[in-house]
Amino acid sequence: GAGVSQSPSNKVTEKGKDVELRCDPISGHTALYWYRQSLGQGLEFLIYFQGNSAPDKSGLPSDRFSAERTGGSVSTLTIQRTQQEDSAVYLCASGGDGDTQYFGPGTRLTVL
Amino acid sequence: RKEVEQDPGPFNVPEGATVAFNCTYSNSASQSFFWYRQDCRKEPKLLMSVYSSGNEDGRFTAQLNRASQYISLLIRDSKLSDSATYLCVVNKYSTLTFGKGTMLLVSP
């Protein structure tokens, strides 16, 4: 079946601009996660959605970052007033009943 | 102490070698444990879950020691295609914490 998809695959933007990253989880998965991975670094947790519960936003690095999940499916991660340190690969993962998370291919964000 | 610590490597081994990766975690309340594999410029993919009783999947064996908060992965008869970064992952209340990974390079 279809896996997790993300768009765009690459995004180059100028410092100060806003960007939106999209994630389509695996159909039927109730859990959705956003992570980011900077060059040579491990994955950093950003935010977690589970069903209709309030999201766990504890990993968001600043108030410039926000995410929403519409209809319990597609999610959008928004970064406002981008900074150069926001450059990273942003990975989305979804999960079903168990603990396993399935990752999308990521969006490579470059802030000039 | 970092939540999940791994030797960054790289581990350079010849084909056919046996290689072991170690990982320690700091949160004793962690509930489940995994090894993920990440190829260069690709997303992480689940390799295997890790259980206290130890589990084996072909050439791969994973072990968990809760008392020592230690996780291991053993790869036997390594193949060129095993070259990747291996991520130790710890789960607590559906939040995964990833180690930075250990890079493995298998050469002919």
Side-chain angles (χ1 to χ4, degrees), chain B residues 5-7 11 13 17-24 33-38 45-51 54-65 70-78 82-89 101-104:
Chain B
E5 290 203 64
Q6 297 181 249
D7 183 335
F11 284 31
V13 302
T18 296
V19 59
F21 302 134
N22 303 318
C23 169
T24 56
F33 309 86
F34 307 90
W35 284 100
Y36 275 71
R37 169 192 170 129
Q38 186 171 26
K45 293 186 177 177
L46 178 67
L47 179 64
M48 59 197 304
S49 302
V50 190
Y51 307 112
N55 49 304
E56 188 173 311
D57 182 2
R59 298 181 293 108
F60 299 82
T61 301
Q63 191 76 46
L64 165 67
N65 184 322
Y70 170 89
I71 306 162
S72 65
L73 176 68
L74 185 76
I75 305 176
R76 291 182 299 279
D77 188 23
S78 52
D82 294 335
S83 296
T85 296
Y86 290 83
L87 305 172
C88 176
V89 184
T102 300
M103 183 181 291
L104 173 65

Side-chain angles (χ1 to χ4, degrees), chain B residues 2 19 25 34 38 53 56 62 73 77 94-95 98 100 105:
Chain B
K2 293 179 185 173
V19 59
Y25 61 96
F34 307 90
Q38 186 171 26
S53 55
E56 188 173 311
L73 176 68
D77 188 23
S94 298
T95 297
F98 288 75
K100 290 189 176 182
L105 300 171

Side-chain angles (χ1 to χ4, degrees), chain A:
Chain A
V4 178
S5 61
Q6 292 186 245
S7 61
S9 54
N10 281 283
K11 176 72 177 178
V12 180
T13 191
E14 293 179 346
K15 178 181 173 182
K17 301 280 189 182
D18 297 353
V19 295
E20 282 190 355
L21 313 179
R22 177 187 167 106
C23 172
D24 280 272
I26 292 171
S27 178
H29 277 188
T30 56
L32 188 147
Y33 306 79
W34 283 98
Y35 298 87
R36 73 176 174 182
Q37 188 172 30
S38 302
L39 189 63
Q41 299 298 310
L43 272 76
E44 175 188 6
F45 166 76
L46 297 177
I47 188 168
Y48 161 46
F49 296 89
Q50 174 59 266
N52 296 320
S53 303
D56 175 356
K57 304 179 182 180
S58 59
L60 295 178
S62 78
D63 58 9
R64 296 187 295 106
F65 287 73
S66 62
E68 61 178 25
R69 189 179 184 192
T70 53
S73 181
V74 171
S75 177
T76 303
L77 176 69
T78 301
I79 308 173
Q80 296 178 308
R81 304 181 301 282
T82 51
Q83 304 295 311
Q84 288 182 330
E85 61 263 29
D86 299 335
S87 296
V89 176
Y90 288 81
L91 289 156
C92 174
S94 72
D97 293 336
D99 297 332
T100 304
Q101 295 182 18
Y102 299 88
F103 284 82
T107 294
R108 185 172 299 276
L109 175 66
T110 303
V111 182
L112 301 177

